[in-house]
Amino acid sequence: MNIYDVSKQAGVSIATVSRVLNGNPNVSGKTREKVLAVMDELGYTPNVFARGLGLGTMKTIGIMCSDSSDPYLANAIYYLERQLRSHGYDSLLCCTGPSLENKRAYFELLLSKRVDAVILAGSKFVELIDQDNEYLISAAKGLPIMLVNGFLDAPGIYSTVCDDYQAMYDAAGRLLDSGRDRILYLYTSHSYSGLGKVQGYKDALSAHGVPVRRELIRQCGKNLAASKALLEELADSGTAFDGVLTSDDSLAVGAVKFAHGRGLAIPEELAIIGYNNSILSYCTDPEISSVDTKVEELCVTTVDTLMRVFDGVEVPKKITVTADFIQKQTTNF
Amino acid sequence: MNIYDVSKQAGVSIATVSRVLNGNPNVSGKTREKVLAVMDELGYTPNVFARGLGLGTMKTIGIMCSDSSDPYLANAIYYLERQLRSHGYDSLLCCTGPSLENKRAYFELLLSKRVDAVILAGSKFVELIDQDNEYLISAAKGLPIMLVNGFLDAPGIYSTVCDDYQAMYDAAGRLLDSGRDRILYLYTSHSYSGLGKVQGYKDALSAHGVPVRRELIRQCGKNLAASKALLEELADSGTAFDGVLTSDDSLAVGAVKFAHGRGLAIPEELAIIGYNNSILSYCTDPEISSVDTKVEELCVTTVDTLMRVFDGVEVPKKITVTADFIQKQTTNF
């Protein structure tokens, strides 16, 4: 039972039903009465979120991000704000930092401001322990929560995600197809997106009959110095690798610096793949082959989906966007 | 005549006067009457902006930035939001893009939201033509306008700037002292900050008795590909240069790529200096010597100054922060 059923039964457009729901005066009295009668007849209760176009809304969306100085998230904020603006909505920004305590506090703060919805930018807002997500699941009963590249299966929570699993499966597959069989996987976090990526890497290895080696799956800090230091430590300890697949471009930059320091030819002796195709992947010589995770498309889709939720239209719980592999100079396929 | 005079005459602290102005109940009736009597006696009119702690405020600050996906501005937004939050203020974000028309439209929009102040992040908001700044000067009669790294001399407009002139004068001086005498200057814009930088370069040359050559002062797009292409064009046309001084790290990255492409030794054959000391300056091999423009200090000072304006305290129209030169691998001094 949704707005479509009302529209069909009343013989009017969805836009008209939406106008009636939102008290828009641009509907004739006769039409309004017909729509209301059909709603009564069908026992239709308007979606609690279908108020975005109504009166009494702040027309303000809260955006939470863990760190706007991260290049990926900085881009996300830019695209989210721009798309919200194009729909006449303001953006109330909160940079939460990584701690769950701050995320919860800022979330409460946004709710107290009576924002119309909250957008959580980046995959760091879905915690691995279910009860740590309870504050989101519970709040989503009162207003829509939009996840950019995170997923939580609960009413009122809508996700737009990049298919990180498939992207990493494909990237690892390219390295394997080109004859690499000791591919180091460097990652920064166990987020929703992080878990999909490492699974893609593992499944690609298995599909190619290459063993998954624990010593080749390494976590490191999200900066190029940490990544370079880790690779040096691994090399010094005799761990061999002929490819480096990373969950973020910054780690791939560290890998390029490691190869330069050791005099390794890129990509002949060491192939390197970044992730996010950010400006960082263009700064190095050679430039880093990377995965374009379509941050603009993710953000535009997130906002457009939110507008449909406000309109009372049923939308999928999860929309998946496909990444592109951008071949540059650190791989040879 | 200001809050200090009232405090002195009434024999109470400035904080107490501020509490009286803001209707804070945490003041005894006797003290309140004394302060109000002194104000009458002195003919003191509270600053129109001294309402930040009062009732009826939205406790919301508008932040305008021309492009939050620029690494420098992304950092600025992060620090501004964090510092505003620490004072209990929300941040309403607007990414305006470069056009004056949009800047004006977004500024009007923020005013219509009844924000308590507007912070303009980055030097792109001060236009070269005076009348193009009229909308800011006029609005500043009604609410404080804070410029981060821009300057406009008008009542109600407060600036926190990095001393770009001195920073560039020093950087050029270092190159000149090390024996370079054909230093190419690459810049992106004629903003307030941009004008200070080029003047610093010119004055350093003059102070060293080196002629300022028109063909060595070049504008280019703010991206590494544009900078690399420009250097190649200059080299191909026979323009000689032994140092490259840039107004942004992205241009310096392009210079490193140019040198790699031509087989030039860095810094022996070509010294390179970036600006902003962003993550980009750490991505290349060799890493780029750059000017740390103290974005965090600029942003914290901007917000703290705004809080003092709200408290009715007199503050300087312009606070200047000194940059640091960060020696890395593209210079040898």
Side-chain angles (χ1 to χ4, degrees):
Chain A
M1 173 67 60
N2 65 25
I3 196 171
Y4 285 113
D5 304 303
V6 176
S7 135
K8 200 174 160 193
Q9 181 82 8
V12 301
S13 71
I14 288 168
T16 300
V17 179
S18 175
R19 277 193 287 269
V20 171
L21 285 172
N22 291 305
N24 186 320
N26 228 356
V27 185
S28 75
K30 195 176 153 192
T31 303
R32 185 184 311 277
E33 289 195 4
K34 183 165 66 178
V35 170
L36 291 172
V38 167
M39 285 180 188
D40 270 354
E41 184 185 334
L42 297 178
Y44 173 75
T45 310
N47 185 319
V48 64
F49 304 141
R51 60 192 178 98
L53 298 172
L55 297 171
T57 159
M58 301 289 286
K59 289 276 239 176
T60 299
I61 308 300
I63 299 178
M64 283 177 35
C65 87
S66 51
D67 179 2
S68 70
S69 66
D70 174 274
Y72 176 84
L73 293 176
N75 275 299
I77 287 169
Y78 176 75
Y79 293 125
L80 288 170
E81 194 279 336
R82 196 181 65 176
Q83 193 68 8
L84 285 168
R85 180 75 57 213
S86 78
H87 288 286
Y89 279 79
D90 293 333
S91 301
L92 205 55
L93 179 67
C94 279
C95 304
T96 63
S99 87
L100 177 61
E101 193 183 341
N102 275 346
K103 289 174 190 165
R104 291 176 67 147
Y106 285 141
F107 187 79
E108 288 296 322
L109 190 104
L110 284 174
L111 295 188
S112 77
K113 305 291 174 186
R114 305 192 62 75
V115 293
D116 297 306
V118 177
I119 300 178
L120 306 179
S123 59
K124 294 286 181 57
F125 288 102
V126 177
E127 308 291 336
L128 291 182
I129 298 164
D130 282 345
Q131 70 186 48
D132 289 346
N133 297 314
E134 199 47 55
Y135 75 106
L136 295 175
I137 292 169
S138 157
K141 291 169 188 162
L143 87 177
I145 295 179
M146 312 301 291
L147 302 184
V148 180
N149 219 25
F151 178 67
L152 260 181
D153 187 10
I157 302 186
Y158 303 89
S159 299
T160 311
V161 299
C162 176
D163 192 346
D164 293 308
Y165 169 86
Q166 192 63 44
M168 208 51 106
Y169 183 93
D170 290 347
R174 284 167 188 264
L175 289 173
L176 291 158
D177 285 340
S178 71
R180 318 275 170 174
D181 64 357
R182 292 194 61 91
I183 303 168
L184 180 63
Y185 182 74
L186 291 189
Y187 70 100
T188 60
S189 90
H190 291 102
S191 64
Y192 172 80
S193 137
L195 293 175
K197 289 176 193 170
V198 69
Q199 196 60 47
Y201 160 82
K202 287 179 182 171
D203 287 358
L205 262 58
S206 301
H208 282 72
V210 171
V212 174
R213 295 182 178 88
R214 180 182 286 270
E215 78 270 20
L216 291 182
I217 302 180
R218 296 296 181 122
Q219 184 169 22
C220 89
K222 194 171 183 168
N223 67 79
L224 58 95
S227 143
K228 179 165 183 268
L230 176 60
L231 293 181
E232 281 167 354
E233 185 192 316
L234 287 173
D236 288 342
S237 71
T239 304
F241 47 91
D242 53 13
V244 181
L245 192 57
T246 66
S247 71
D248 188 80
D249 284 333
S250 57
L251 307 188
V253 171
V256 168
K257 286 173 171 279
F258 159 78
H260 286 170
R262 300 277 168 146
L264 296 173
I266 304 171
E268 295 76 10
E269 295 176 90
L270 189 67
I272 299 166
I273 297 181
Y275 208 86
N276 286 335
N277 199 43
S278 69
I279 177 73
L280 305 190
S281 71
Y282 291 88
C283 284
T284 54
D285 267 319
E287 297 185 356
I288 299 168
S289 300
S290 189
V291 174
D292 178 354
T293 47
K294 309 280 192 69
V295 60
E296 180 173 3
E297 186 178 343
L298 278 181
C299 293
V300 168
T301 302
T302 297
V303 170
D304 290 351
T305 302
L306 176 59
M307 296 302 130
R308 300 181 70 209
V309 172
F310 283 153
D311 285 344
V313 176
E314 274 199 9
V315 298
K317 299 286 299 166
K318 182 172 163 185
I319 297 174
T320 301
V321 164
T322 304
D324 280 344
F325 186 82
I326 309 296
Q327 165 86 323
K328 295 202 281 281
Q329 299 164 334
T330 58
T331 50
N332 50 350
F333 305 134
Chain B
M1 172 67 60
N2 65 25
I3 196 170
Y4 285 112
D5 305 304
V6 176
S7 136
K8 201 174 159 193
Q9 180 82 8
V12 300
S13 70
I14 287 169
T16 301
V17 179
S18 173
R19 278 194 286 269
V20 171
L21 285 172
N22 291 305
N24 185 321
N26 226 356
V27 185
S28 76
K30 197 178 152 191
T31 303
R32 184 185 311 277
E33 288 195 5
K34 183 164 67 179
V35 170
L36 291 172
V38 168
M39 285 181 187
D40 270 356
E41 186 186 333
L42 296 178
Y44 173 74
T45 311
N47 185 318
V48 64
F49 303 142
R51 60 190 177 98
L53 299 171
L55 297 171
T57 158
M58 299 292 284
K59 290 276 241 174
T60 300
I61 309 299
I63 299 178
M64 282 178 35
C65 87
S66 51
D67 179 2
S68 71
S69 66
D70 174 272
Y72 176 84
L73 293 176
N75 275 299
I77 287 169
Y78 177 74
Y79 293 125
L80 289 170
E81 194 278 338
R82 197 181 63 175
Q83 193 67 9
L84 286 168
R85 180 75 55 214
S86 78
H87 287 286
Y89 280 79
D90 293 332
S91 301
L92 205 55
L93 179 68
C94 280
C95 304
T96 63
S99 88
L100 176 61
E101 193 184 342
N102 274 346
K103 289 173 189 166
R104 291 176 68 145
Y106 285 142
F107 187 79
E108 288 296 322
L109 189 104
L110 285 174
L111 296 188
S112 76
K113 305 290 174 184
R114 305 192 61 74
V115 293
D116 298 305
V118 176
I119 300 178
L120 306 179
S123 59
K124 294 288 180 57
F125 288 101
V126 177
E127 308 290 335
L128 291 182
I129 299 163
D130 281 345
Q131 70 187 47
D132 288 346
N133 297 313
E134 200 46 57
Y135 75 106
L136 295 176
I137 292 168
S138 157
K141 291 170 188 162
L143 87 176
I145 296 179
M146 312 301 291
L147 302 184
V148 180
N149 219 26
F151 178 68
L152 261 182
D153 188 10
I157 302 186
Y158 303 89
S159 297
T160 310
V161 300
C162 176
D163 192 345
D164 293 309
Y165 169 86
Q166 192 62 43
M168 208 51 106
Y169 184 93
D170 290 348
R174 285 168 187 264
L175 289 174
L176 292 158
D177 286 340
S178 71
R180 317 275 170 175
D181 64 357
R182 292 195 60 92
I183 302 168
L184 181 63
Y185 182 73
L186 291 189
Y187 69 101
T188 60
S189 91
H190 290 104
S191 63
Y192 171 82
S193 137
L195 293 174
K197 288 176 194 170
V198 69
Q199 197 58 49
Y201 160 82
K202 288 179 181 170
D203 287 358
L205 262 57
S206 301
H208 281 73
V210 171
V212 173
R213 294 182 179 87
R214 181 182 285 271
E215 78 269 21
L216 291 183
I217 302 179
R218 295 298 182 122
Q219 183 170 23
C220 89
K222 194 171 184 169
N223 67 79
L224 58 95
S227 143
K228 179 166 184 269
L230 176 60
L231 292 181
E232 280 167 355
E233 185 192 316
L234 288 173
D236 288 343
S237 71
T239 305
F241 47 91
D242 53 14
V244 181
L245 191 57
T246 65
S247 70
D248 188 81
D249 284 333
S250 57
L251 307 188
V253 171
V256 168
K257 286 174 171 277
F258 159 78
H260 285 169
R262 299 279 168 144
L264 296 172
I266 304 171
E268 294 76 10
E269 295 176 90
L270 189 66
I272 299 166
I273 296 181
Y275 208 86
N276 287 333
N277 199 43
S278 68
I279 177 71
L280 304 190
S281 70
Y282 291 89
C283 284
T284 54
D285 265 319
E287 296 185 357
I288 299 168
S289 301
S290 188
V291 175
D292 178 355
T293 47
K294 310 280 193 67
V295 60
E296 181 173 2
E297 187 179 343
L298 278 180
C299 293
V300 168
T301 303
T302 297
V303 171
D304 290 351
T305 302
L306 176 60
M307 295 303 130
R308 300 181 70 209
V309 172
F310 283 153
D311 286 344
V313 177
E314 275 200 4
V315 298
K317 298 286 299 166
K318 181 172 163 184
I319 297 174
T320 301
V321 165
T322 304
D324 281 344
F325 186 81
I326 309 296
Q327 165 85 325
K328 294 202 282 281
Q329 300 164 334
T330 58
T331 50
N332 49 350
F333 304 133

mmCIF file of all heavy atoms in Angstrom, chain B residues 312-330:
data_model
loop_
_atom_site.group_PDB
_atom_site.id
_atom_site.type_symbol
_atom_site.label_atom_id
_atom_site.label_comp_id
_atom_site.label_asym_id
_atom_site.label_seq_id
_atom_site.Cartn_x
_atom_site.Cartn_y
_atom_site.Cartn_z
ATOM 1 N N GLY B 312 31.065 41.235 22.197
ATOM 2 C CA GLY B 312 31.125 42.689 22.247
ATOM 3 C C GLY B 312 32.506 43.231 22.542
ATOM 4 O O GLY B 312 32.670 44.412 22.842
ATOM 5 N N VAL B 313 33.503 42.379 22.454
ATOM 6 C CA VAL B 313 34.881 42.801 22.691
ATOM 7 C C VAL B 313 35.437 43.391 21.391
ATOM 8 O O VAL B 313 35.167 42.869 20.316
ATOM 9 C CB VAL B 313 35.742 41.585 23.127
ATOM 10 C CG1 VAL B 313 37.190 41.989 23.313
ATOM 11 C CG2 VAL B 313 35.171 40.971 24.399
ATOM 12 N N GLU B 314 36.188 44.467 21.498
ATOM 13 C CA GLU B 314 36.808 45.007 20.284
ATOM 14 C C GLU B 314 37.925 44.088 19.815
ATOM 15 O O GLU B 314 38.750 43.646 20.615
ATOM 16 C CB GLU B 314 37.367 46.409 20.542
ATOM 17 C CG GLU B 314 36.300 47.464 20.374
ATOM 18 C CD GLU B 314 36.864 48.853 20.129
ATOM 19 O OE1 GLU B 314 38.102 48.999 20.007
ATOM 20 O OE2 GLU B 314 36.055 49.784 20.068
ATOM 21 N N VAL B 315 37.939 43.811 18.548
ATOM 22 C CA VAL B 315 38.977 42.931 18.010
ATOM 23 C C VAL B 315 39.627 43.633 16.824
ATOM 24 O O VAL B 315 39.023 44.513 16.207
ATOM 25 C CB VAL B 315 38.399 41.576 17.547
ATOM 26 C CG1 VAL B 315 37.773 40.819 18.709
ATOM 27 C CG2 VAL B 315 37.387 41.767 16.432
ATOM 28 N N PRO B 316 40.874 43.241 16.499
ATOM 29 C CA PRO B 316 41.520 43.858 15.337
ATOM 30 C C PRO B 316 40.752 43.505 14.056
ATOM 31 O O PRO B 316 40.143 42.446 13.960
ATOM 32 C CB PRO B 316 42.919 43.234 15.315
ATOM 33 C CG PRO B 316 43.012 42.304 16.458
ATOM 34 C CD PRO B 316 41.713 42.258 17.176
ATOM 35 N N LYS B 317 40.811 44.403 13.088
ATOM 36 C CA LYS B 317 40.164 44.150 11.793
ATOM 37 C C LYS B 317 40.881 43.048 11.024
ATOM 38 O O LYS B 317 40.303 42.401 10.161
ATOM 39 C CB LYS B 317 40.223 45.424 10.935
ATOM 40 C CG LYS B 317 39.515 46.617 11.504
ATOM 41 C CD LYS B 317 38.031 46.482 11.390
ATOM 42 C CE LYS B 317 37.645 46.370 9.912
ATOM 43 N NZ LYS B 317 36.261 45.911 9.773
ATOM 44 N N LYS B 318 42.143 42.876 11.365
ATOM 45 C CA LYS B 318 42.951 41.928 10.584
ATOM 46 C C LYS B 318 43.989 41.298 11.506
ATOM 47 O O LYS B 318 44.734 42.021 12.185
ATOM 48 C CB LYS B 318 43.637 42.693 9.460
ATOM 49 C CG LYS B 318 44.489 41.864 8.530
ATOM 50 C CD LYS B 318 44.918 42.752 7.363
ATOM 51 C CE LYS B 318 46.081 42.212 6.584
ATOM 52 N NZ LYS B 318 46.486 43.172 5.534
ATOM 53 N N ILE B 319 44.014 39.986 11.535
ATOM 54 C CA ILE B 319 45.027 39.272 12.303
ATOM 55 C C ILE B 319 45.879 38.506 11.299
ATOM 56 O O ILE B 319 45.345 37.854 10.393
ATOM 57 C CB ILE B 319 44.375 38.293 13.307
ATOM 58 C CG1 ILE B 319 43.549 39.079 14.336
ATOM 59 C CG2 ILE B 319 45.432 37.432 13.999
ATOM 60 C CD1 ILE B 319 42.752 38.209 15.297
ATOM 61 N N THR B 320 47.189 38.627 11.439
ATOM 62 C CA THR B 320 48.084 38.001 10.469
ATOM 63 C C THR B 320 48.831 36.834 11.115
ATOM 64 O O THR B 320 49.364 36.957 12.207
ATOM 65 C CB THR B 320 49.086 39.029 9.928
ATOM 66 O OG1 THR B 320 48.354 40.091 9.314
ATOM 67 C CG2 THR B 320 50.010 38.407 8.893
ATOM 68 N N VAL B 321 48.840 35.732 10.410
ATOM 69 C CA VAL B 321 49.513 34.513 10.856
ATOM 70 C C VAL B 321 50.739 34.325 9.970
ATOM 71 O O VAL B 321 50.687 34.584 8.769
ATOM 72 C CB VAL B 321 48.537 33.318 10.726
ATOM 73 C CG1 VAL B 321 49.241 31.991 10.819
ATOM 74 C CG2 VAL B 321 47.417 33.436 11.758
ATOM 75 N N THR B 322 51.841 33.910 10.566
ATOM 76 C CA THR B 322 53.083 33.753 9.814
ATOM 77 C C THR B 322 53.232 32.322 9.288
ATOM 78 O O THR B 322 53.003 31.359 10.019
ATOM 79 C CB THR B 322 54.284 34.084 10.720
ATOM 80 O OG1 THR B 322 54.106 35.398 11.237
ATOM 81 C CG2 THR B 322 55.592 34.023 9.940
ATOM 82 N N ALA B 323 53.607 32.200 8.030
ATOM 83 C CA ALA B 323 53.797 30.883 7.412
ATOM 84 C C ALA B 323 55.159 30.305 7.783
ATOM 85 O O ALA B 323 56.054 31.020 8.225
ATOM 86 C CB ALA B 323 53.680 31.015 5.894
ATOM 87 N N ASP B 324 55.292 28.991 7.603
ATOM 88 C CA ASP B 324 56.584 28.313 7.805
ATOM 89 C C ASP B 324 57.058 27.729 6.479
ATOM 90 O O ASP B 324 56.245 27.214 5.709
ATOM 91 C CB ASP B 324 56.434 27.139 8.785
ATOM 92 C CG ASP B 324 56.392 27.588 10.226
ATOM 93 O OD1 ASP B 324 56.786 28.742 10.493
ATOM 94 O OD2 ASP B 324 55.953 26.794 11.077
ATOM 95 N N PHE B 325 58.360 27.776 6.259
ATOM 96 C CA PHE B 325 58.907 27.083 5.087
ATOM 97 C C PHE B 325 59.261 25.654 5.498
ATOM 98 O O PHE B 325 59.971 25.439 6.478
ATOM 99 C CB PHE B 325 60.156 27.803 4.573
ATOM 100 C CG PHE B 325 60.675 27.207 3.292
ATOM 101 C CD1 PHE B 325 60.110 27.544 2.074
ATOM 102 C CD2 PHE B 325 61.719 26.287 3.311
ATOM 103 C CE1 PHE B 325 60.571 26.975 0.898
ATOM 104 C CE2 PHE B 325 62.180 25.710 2.131
ATOM 105 C CZ PHE B 325 61.612 26.064 0.913
ATOM 106 N N ILE B 326 58.736 24.674 4.769
ATOM 107 C CA ILE B 326 59.007 23.270 5.090
ATOM 108 C C ILE B 326 59.970 22.722 4.041
ATOM 109 O O ILE B 326 59.597 22.457 2.893
ATOM 110 C CB ILE B 326 57.711 22.427 5.109
ATOM 111 C CG1 ILE B 326 56.635 23.088 5.989
ATOM 112 C CG2 ILE B 326 58.014 21.005 5.579
ATOM 113 C CD1 ILE B 326 56.978 23.196 7.458
ATOM 114 N N GLN B 327 61.211 22.577 4.466
ATOM 115 C CA GLN B 327 62.247 22.100 3.560
ATOM 116 C C GLN B 327 62.083 20.605 3.333
ATOM 117 O O GLN B 327 62.078 19.822 4.267
ATOM 118 C CB GLN B 327 63.615 22.418 4.201
ATOM 119 C CG GLN B 327 64.795 21.709 3.601
ATOM 120 C CD GLN B 327 65.348 22.446 2.379
ATOM 121 O OE1 GLN B 327 64.611 23.046 1.591
ATOM 122 N NE2 GLN B 327 66.643 22.394 2.212
ATOM 123 N N LYS B 328 61.908 20.200 2.079
ATOM 124 C CA LYS B 328 61.875 18.770 1.778
ATOM 125 C C LYS B 328 62.958 18.498 0.723
ATOM 126 O O LYS B 328 64.109 18.925 0.949
ATOM 127 C CB LYS B 328 60.443 18.348 1.385
ATOM 128 C CG LYS B 328 59.480 18.507 2.603
ATOM 129 C CD LYS B 328 58.205 17.679 2.560
ATOM 130 C CE LYS B 328 57.107 18.201 1.682
ATOM 131 N NZ LYS B 328 56.294 19.289 2.209
ATOM 132 N N GLN B 329 62.606 17.836 -0.375
ATOM 133 C CA GLN B 329 63.687 17.353 -1.252
ATOM 134 C C GLN B 329 63.839 18.082 -2.586
ATOM 135 O O GLN B 329 64.712 17.745 -3.374
ATOM 136 C CB GLN B 329 63.473 15.853 -1.522
ATOM 137 C CG GLN B 329 63.490 15.032 -0.238
ATOM 138 C CD GLN B 329 62.913 13.642 -0.442
ATOM 139 O OE1 GLN B 329 62.094 13.418 -1.323
ATOM 140 N NE2 GLN B 329 63.353 12.710 0.396
ATOM 141 N N THR B 330 62.998 19.083 -2.853
ATOM 142 C CA THR B 330 63.095 19.740 -4.166
ATOM 143 C C THR B 330 63.874 21.051 -4.112
ATOM 144 O O THR B 330 63.875 21.814 -5.086
ATOM 145 C CB THR B 330 61.690 20.011 -4.756
ATOM 146 O OG1 THR B 330 60.971 20.822 -3.813
ATOM 147 C CG2 THR B 330 60.946 18.722 -5.015
#
